Amino acid sequence: MRWSFFGLVSLLSLFAAVPQASAAEDYAVLIISRERLEVPTNCEIGLYINDQLAGRLFQEQSTSFNFPAGRVSLRLKLLPGQAPGCLPGLLAPKAQEITLKNGDVRKLRIAQGADGMYLKAAKLGY
């Protein structure tokens, strides 16, 4: 009985010594959505983060990323696909930069404007 008590106390002290990480304080969450039918194409849209392809979105899809605090460069581009007419453009689209803080949860949706696709702030909806 004495050994089990000392074993339990030593086990609990190990859990107390481990530093607790809190994701809400260390990272920002960015949600990119193509849930609305604002972009009149059935082509796949590529999401480039800091000029690297990070995600692909079809209609009615969304994706999320965890980032450390700081500036993030976002770019959207049509990707070549199986559907007819899904050819990438020749010009590189303009990038949007956003600044994220620790604990932020931000949602952006893909919209279409006169200059092409862009990301627009959206409500979280929960």
Side-chain angles (χ1 to χ4, degrees):
M1 174 96 169
R2 192 174 355 156
W3 286 109
S4 61
F5 174 74
F6 288 120
L8 179 63
V9 169
S10 61
L11 185 63
L12 290 175
S13 66
L14 285 177
F15 287 122
V18 176
Q20 299 296 318
S22 175
E25 296 175 10
D26 298 335
Y27 291 95
V29 177
L30 180 64
I31 303 166
I32 307 293
S33 167
R34 190 181 172 188
E35 295 166 354
R36 293 189 176 198
L37 300 177
E38 288 187 43
V39 181
T41 181
N42 59 353
C43 299
E44 189 176 18
I45 296 176
L47 172 66
Y48 290 81
I49 298 175
N50 297 328
D51 292 326
Q52 302 249 341
L53 181 62
R56 299 168 176 262
L57 291 167
F58 287 103
Q59 289 181 353
E60 300 184 24
Q61 285 186 327
S62 65
T63 187
S64 62
F65 300 93
N66 292 335
F67 289 107
R71 297 182 72 95
V72 177
S73 172
L74 303 169
R75 186 184 311 265
L76 299 170
K77 189 174 180 182
L78 288 179
L79 298 176
Q82 302 296 326
C86 291
L87 299 174
L90 295 175
L91 299 175
K94 188 172 88 172
Q96 290 179 251
E97 287 205 7
I98 61 170
T99 302
L100 297 170
K101 299 175 193 158
N102 288 339
D104 276 355
V105 178
R106 296 185 51 192
K107 183 175 182 179
L108 303 174
R109 63 183 166 94
I110 299 173
Q112 181 78 33
D115 295 331
M117 296 180 293
Y118 65 98
L119 293 166
K120 183 177 183 178
K123 294 181 182 179
L124 289 173
Y126 58 81

